[in-house]
Structures are given as C-alpha cells and as structure tokens.
Amino acid sequence: MIFYFSGTGNSRHAAFSLARSDEKIFNIADLMKESSLPSFDPDEGEAVGFVCPVYFCDLPLMMQDFMKKVSFSIVPSYIYAVFTCGGLSGLCQEKAESLLAENRLKLNAAWEVHMVANYVVMYDIPSEEDQQKTLQEAEMQLALIKDEIWEESDHKITISSQARALTEQMAPIYLEAVKTHKFWIDDTCVGCGTCASRCPVQAITMLDGYPSWNTGKCQHCMCCIRCGAVEYGTTTHGRKRYTHPDLRKKKAAGDNAHCH
Ligand SMILES: Cc1cc2nc3c(=O)[nH]c(=O)nc-3n(C[C@H](O)[C@H](O)[C@H](O)COP(=O)(O)O)c2cc1C
C-alpha cells in the first residue's frame, strides 16, 4: 500500500514505479478532501510506503498532516518513505520518523531519489536533455529501492552536519513561501480554469473568470505554474516550467482537466 503526494508528477511516478502488481496506490490529496480519513487495511506483512517531494528540506504540509492522522486496522510490519528531490532531502526523514512516532508508527526505512528539480521560483528548469538523463538515473534507483523494500531493508538517509545546518535554516522559509499572495497571472491568461482544476488541493477558485489562490490550502507544489500564464513573484517570468513526462502524456491523451 502506497500513499503519495505530488505537484508536478515526480513523486506520483515514483509511487507507481515502486508499486508491485495489484498494490493499492492512494493520492493523499484525494484522501484529504474527505471530512474524515478511513482506516486502512493492509494485508498481514504488507509494506506501507509514503512518497512525496521535498519542500525546503522538509515534508509538504499535507504529508505532515496525513502522517499524523493515518490509521490502520493492523499495525503495519514495515513502513518506508521515499522523498523525491532535486538533491537534498534534509530533515524529511527525521520529520517523518517523529510524525509517525507521534501516531505510534515506526518508520523502518527511507530513501531520497534525485529527480528533476521543479522549483522554478528559485532557479531555471534543466534542459530536456538533462531532465531525461536525471529521470533515467532515477528509474534505475527506483528499481533498486523496489527490491530493497521487498527485502525489508532498514536503509536510512545519512545527513552531513553541513546539510543539517543548511536545512535548519531552510525549513521555516517554506511556511512563508506557502502563502499565496505572490501568485499572479500575466495577460496571456484566458481564464480557462486549467490551473484550478489541476490543483491537487483545490487551492484555486475562479473569481470573475480568473484564478484566485487560497492561503491555507496551497502546498506551494508548482502544479498551477505548469501553465505559463501563472507567475510567482518576480523570478518566474520567462522561465520554462516542469511537468513529469507521465503527466505530459496524460495531457496529450486529452486528459487536460486533472493532473492527478
Ligand atoms: C517549494 C519547493 C521547495 C523545494 N525544495 C527542495 C529542497 O529543499 N531540496 C531539494 O532537493 N529539492 C527541492 N525541491 C524540488 C522538488 O522536491 C522536486 O522537484 C520533487 O521531485 C518534485 O516532486 P513532484 O513532481 O512530485 O511534485 C523543491 C520544490 C518546491 C516546489
């Protein structure tokens, strides 16, 4: 059983790559829409996985909330987490460990997987060629992790003291960045509503035909900014946007309304 959160498709892809045939895969954003979470029912000995992106060396807020609330009919015998990131998962493992422990669950293993860094607010998105290379390497790593999960490995991410110092400074910035007042639309916005319908957490409403962002719901996942008419602050204008190829295929197949 795998639970994932994803903004631009990397973690969704990782969850599907890690799943064994017939394994249940849940999108946390869909589960959290409901007023209460069901109790999940893993089989005896079934692994339970949590897969999500890294935001400012921390977990997405929704994943944090979910880890505190999730409940199971039997205590899962093996729990793991996989963090997809551009290069540094920072405090994610420790945060997941402590949130699950609060919920009387034990994190047995964790991995970070380097995928394409999608945070267009801070940097340029890599070229198509570099993206392909990164995703091919990630695919190989995911295949190895899948085997390790099967063997119930106790793999943990090691974090250097330098990385720890950096991450402790970064995590509070997420709480500031997640406020939505810096989103805006340029004059190419036609009010089609795709950003609102794609948003995994329904943080966008269409007001007078144009998108309006809701602080409190937004995870800062960069799903909406996949549309070139959406901008954030002063840095994104003119920058290419990132979408994992799985979601591009969905769009090409006519599934334009929902990226999840
Ligand atoms: C707000 C934000 C903050 C990010 N911070 C980090 C970070 O601290 N370290 C890192 O390696 N990648 C960081 N990234 C990159 C993402 O973790 C990475 O691209 C991830 O695979 C995206 O997953 P998704 O496609 O499932 O949304 C950040 C991305 C966003 C949107």
Side-chain angles (χ1 to χ4, degrees), residues 6-11 53-54 56-57 84-88 116-118 220 222:
S6 183
T8 59
N10 288 345
S11 311
V54 175
F56 292 98
C57 294
T84 77
C85 64
L88 182 62
V116 177
N118 67 350
H220 205 51
M222 300 293 117

Side-chain angles (χ1 to χ4, degrees), residues 149-196:
I149 292 167
W150 187 241
E151 288 156 12
E152 302 202 344
S153 148
D154 58 0
H155 182 275
K156 288 286 167 68
I157 302 161
T158 40
I159 171 161
S160 68
S161 49
Q162 224 177 358
R164 176 178 297 281
L166 177 71
T167 59
E168 278 166 1
Q169 284 168 20
M170 277 174 81
I173 308 174
Y174 177 35
L175 296 179
E176 201 43 48
V178 80
K179 295 176 186 161
T180 55
H181 59 280
K182 288 190 181 165
F183 279 110
W184 55 282
I185 41 167
D186 72 15
D187 54 15
T188 62
C189 177
V190 291
C192 68
T194 301
C195 56

Side-chain angles (χ1 to χ4, degrees), residues 5-13 52-58 83-90 113-120 122-123 170 174 177 219-222 242 244:
F5 177 81
S6 183
T8 59
N10 288 345
S11 311
R12 179 184 182 278
H13 178 83
C52 68
V54 175
Y55 292 162
F56 292 98
C57 294
D58 206 340
F83 311 115
T84 77
C85 64
L88 182 62
S89 65
V113 178
H114 297 184
M115 296 183 77
V116 177
N118 67 350
Y119 195 29
V120 57
M122 270 173 61
Y123 41 71
M170 277 174 81
Y174 177 35
Q219 305 289 304
H220 205 51
C221 74
M222 300 293 117
Y242 175 69
H244 185 278

Side-chain angles (χ1 to χ4, degrees), residues 14-32:
F16 278 80
S17 295
L18 293 169
R20 314 198 78 81
S21 59
D22 297 340
E23 186 165 3
K24 289 196 186 96
I25 305 172
F26 297 96
N27 180 350
I28 286 173
D30 289 341
L31 296 172
M32 296 292 269

Side-chain angles (χ1 to χ4, degrees), residues 49-243:
F50 297 88
V51 183
C52 68
V54 175
Y55 292 162
F56 292 98
C57 294
D58 206 340
L59 300 172
L61 294 175
M62 185 170 273
M63 180 56 98
Q64 297 186 30
D65 201 21
F66 184 76
M67 283 180 166
K68 281 192 271 191
K69 288 183 178 155
V70 65
S71 69
F72 298 97
S73 54
I74 53 166
V75 178
S77 56
Y78 181 75
I79 299 182
Y80 67 90
V82 172
F83 311 115
T84 77
C85 64
L88 182 62
S89 65
L91 297 179
C92 286
Q93 174 177 272
E94 282 177 26
K95 183 61 93 54
E97 258 168 354
S98 81
L99 291 170
L100 291 170
E102 266 180 55
N103 199 358
R104 283 176 287 171
L105 296 167
K106 180 176 157 46
L107 183 71
N108 299 97
W111 290 267
E112 67 176 31
V113 178
H114 297 184
M115 296 183 77
V116 177
N118 67 350
Y119 195 29
V120 57
V121 171
M122 270 173 61
Y123 41 71
D124 283 321
I125 300 302
S127 67
E128 283 293 328
E129 202 185 339
D130 287 348
Q131 288 185 28
Q132 273 180 24
K133 201 165 155 259
T134 304
L135 293 179
Q136 274 165 12
E137 283 166 8
E139 213 51 50
M140 288 188 275
Q141 198 193 347
L142 286 165
L144 295 175
I145 294 172
K146 187 173 178 176
D147 290 343
E148 287 192 67
I149 292 167
W150 187 241
E151 288 156 12
E152 302 202 344
S153 148
D154 58 0
H155 182 275
K156 288 286 167 68
I157 302 161
T158 40
I159 171 161
S160 68
S161 49
Q162 224 177 358
R164 176 178 297 281
L166 177 71
T167 59
E168 278 166 1
Q169 284 168 20
M170 277 174 81
I173 308 174
Y174 177 35
L175 296 179
E176 201 43 48
V178 80
K179 295 176 186 161
T180 55
H181 59 280
K182 288 190 181 165
F183 279 110
W184 55 282
I185 41 167
D186 72 15
D187 54 15
T188 62
C189 177
V190 291
C192 68
T194 301
C195 56
S197 58
R198 277 178 173 169
C199 174
V201 295
Q202 293 77 50
I204 303 173
T205 38
M206 297 301 285
L207 283 183
D208 299 326
Y210 291 101
S212 166
W213 282 260
N214 305 301
T215 295
K217 282 188 166 183
C218 177
Q219 305 289 304
H220 205 51
C221 74
M222 300 293 117
C223 181
C224 58
I225 213 164
R226 290 166 53 202
C227 168
V230 174
E231 306 286 354
Y232 184 90
T234 55
T235 52
T236 56
H237 197 63
R239 280 185 174 160
K240 206 168 54 161
R241 313 302 163 85
Y242 175 69
T243 303

